């Protein structure tokens, strides 16, 4: 069973540019979450999508956006890049996202490492 | 979600059991305890989770105290490949977003030969 696939794995951009990162979840998983990891702030939640709808959003500026397609694949976009956006961006997928009992296990991808110069 | 407290770092000798503690004194009845680990520069990896009872899988064991205010992750025979940052996370199964996990700073486990 294929895992969570993130592309590209590495990329370098300059300040002011924009970037789009892609995430393909595990087959059958309908929920996709995005996280940013930096040495100073650790792992921070960006947003979560389920059935093409954003279900929750972390405390990030509007420059950070995302979307989910009908096949559950997701993309996130960062516009007007700043030096502080240099980070490892992680995508995670899970099967359940609804109200009710039961645990919800996230499977993470290897991440996309963004360097902003 | 309840806050968790973990030691910043721990050492363990290769082949010995690694016991990683986590305090979650404000945990509520509908919150699970999850453990993830992150090996350097990789995505976090799910290890195990539990609600009330002790749990065991092929990777580890999870011991939850009777009052559920603390837990211990046990790696029975640590290897060098178990060197990683281990995160203890408490998350409820009630509504809304389930993909929002709050990762603290975790415990950096160093397994030494």
């Amino acid at each position: 069973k294929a895992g969570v696939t993130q592309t590209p794995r590495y990329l370098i951009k300059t300040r002011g540019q924009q970037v789009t990162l892609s995430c393909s979840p595990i087959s059958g998983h309908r929920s996709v979450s995005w996280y940013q990891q930096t040495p100073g702030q650790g792992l921070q939640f960006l947003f979560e999508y389920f059935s093409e709808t954003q279900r929750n959003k972390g405390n990030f500026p509007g420059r950070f956006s995302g979307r989910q397609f009908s096949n559950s694949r997701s993309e996130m976009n960062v516009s007007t890049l700043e030096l502080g956006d240099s980070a490892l961006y992680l995508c995670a997928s899970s099967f359940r996202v609804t109200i009710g009992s039961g645990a919800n296990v996230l499977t993470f991808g290897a991440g996309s490492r963004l360097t902003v110069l | 979600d309840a806050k968790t407290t973990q030691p910043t770092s721990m050492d363990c000798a290769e082949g010995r059991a690694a016991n990683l503690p986590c305090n979650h004194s404000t945990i509520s009845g509908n919150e699970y305890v999850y453990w993830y680990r992150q090996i350097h520069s990789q995505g976090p990896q799910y290890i195990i989770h539990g609600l009330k009872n002790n749990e065991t899988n092929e990777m580890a064991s999870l011991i939850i105290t009777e009052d559920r205010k603390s837990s211990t992750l046990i790696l029975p025979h640590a290897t060098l490949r178990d060197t990683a940052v281990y995160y203890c996370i408490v998350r409820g199964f009630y509504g809304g977003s389930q993909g929002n996990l709050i990762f603290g700073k975790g415990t950096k486990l160093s397994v030494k030969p």
Side-chain angles (χ1 to χ4, degrees):
Chain A
K1 187 173 179 181
V4 177
T5 304
Q6 292 189 246
T7 57
R9 288 293 314 279
Y10 303 91
L11 66 167
I12 299 174
K13 294 285 187 179
T14 57
R15 280 180 297 174
Q17 288 186 310
Q18 72 163 10
V19 66
T20 298
L21 308 177
S22 179
C23 173
S24 293
I26 289 174
S27 178
H29 284 191
R30 298 170 62 193
S31 171
V32 173
S33 300
W34 288 89
Y35 289 79
Q36 181 197 63
Q37 185 171 30
T38 60
Q41 299 298 318
L43 275 155
Q44 293 186 288
F45 171 77
L46 279 159
F47 25 66
E48 178 185 12
Y49 287 87
F50 178 75
S51 293
E52 303 177 63
T53 301
Q54 187 178 90
R55 294 303 178 101
N56 200 5
K57 187 176 182 348
N59 188 25
F60 280 83
R63 299 186 296 107
F64 291 81
S65 63
R67 59 177 174 168
Q68 186 180 33
F69 302 96
S70 58
N71 61 358
S72 295
R73 191 177 70 84
S74 177
E75 288 181 347
M76 68 162 283
N77 184 277
V78 187
S79 63
T80 319
L81 285 167
E82 302 176 358
L83 295 178
D85 297 332
S86 295
L88 180 66
Y89 290 88
L90 291 156
C91 166
S93 74
S94 63
F95 177 73
R96 62 178 295 117
V97 75
T98 55
I99 297 172
S101 63
N104 189 46
V105 173
L106 301 188
T107 302
F108 285 83
S112 293
R113 184 166 294 282
L114 170 65
T115 301
V116 181
L117 302 177
Chain B
D1 297 323
K3 179 180 167 57
T4 62
T5 303
Q6 300 178 252
T8 302
S9 63
M10 294 182 64
D11 290 341
C12 177
E14 189 177 20
R16 304 296 293 271
N19 297 279
L20 291 89
C22 179
N23 180 283
H24 31 78
S25 58
T26 61
I27 193 170
S28 63
N30 60 1
E31 291 182 319
Y32 281 88
V33 178
Y34 295 86
W35 283 84
Y36 286 78
R37 73 179 182 183
Q38 187 174 25
I39 296 170
H40 183 63
S41 292
Q42 298 181 20
Q45 176 190 26
Y46 163 79
I47 301 172
I48 198 167
H49 72 275
L51 185 62
K52 296 179 183 177
N53 302 319
N54 298 336
E55 302 288 344
T56 295
N57 63 20
E58 64 278 4
M59 289 183 67
S61 295
L62 175 60
I63 308 298
I64 302 175
T65 58
E66 192 169 344
D67 62 9
R68 302 187 68 236
K69 293 185 177 182
S70 66
S71 61
T72 301
L73 177 74
I74 301 173
L75 307 178
H77 305 288
T79 70
L80 298 179
R81 289 181 297 179
D82 292 321
T83 293
V85 178
Y86 288 77
Y87 298 97
C88 169
I89 300 166
V90 171
R91 188 67 169 91
F93 51 72
Y94 44 85
S97 170
Q98 290 290 308
N100 177 5
L101 296 183
I102 299 174
F103 288 83
K105 298 197 180 299
T107 296
K108 181 171 173 51
L109 175 69
S110 298
V111 180
K112 301 183 183 298

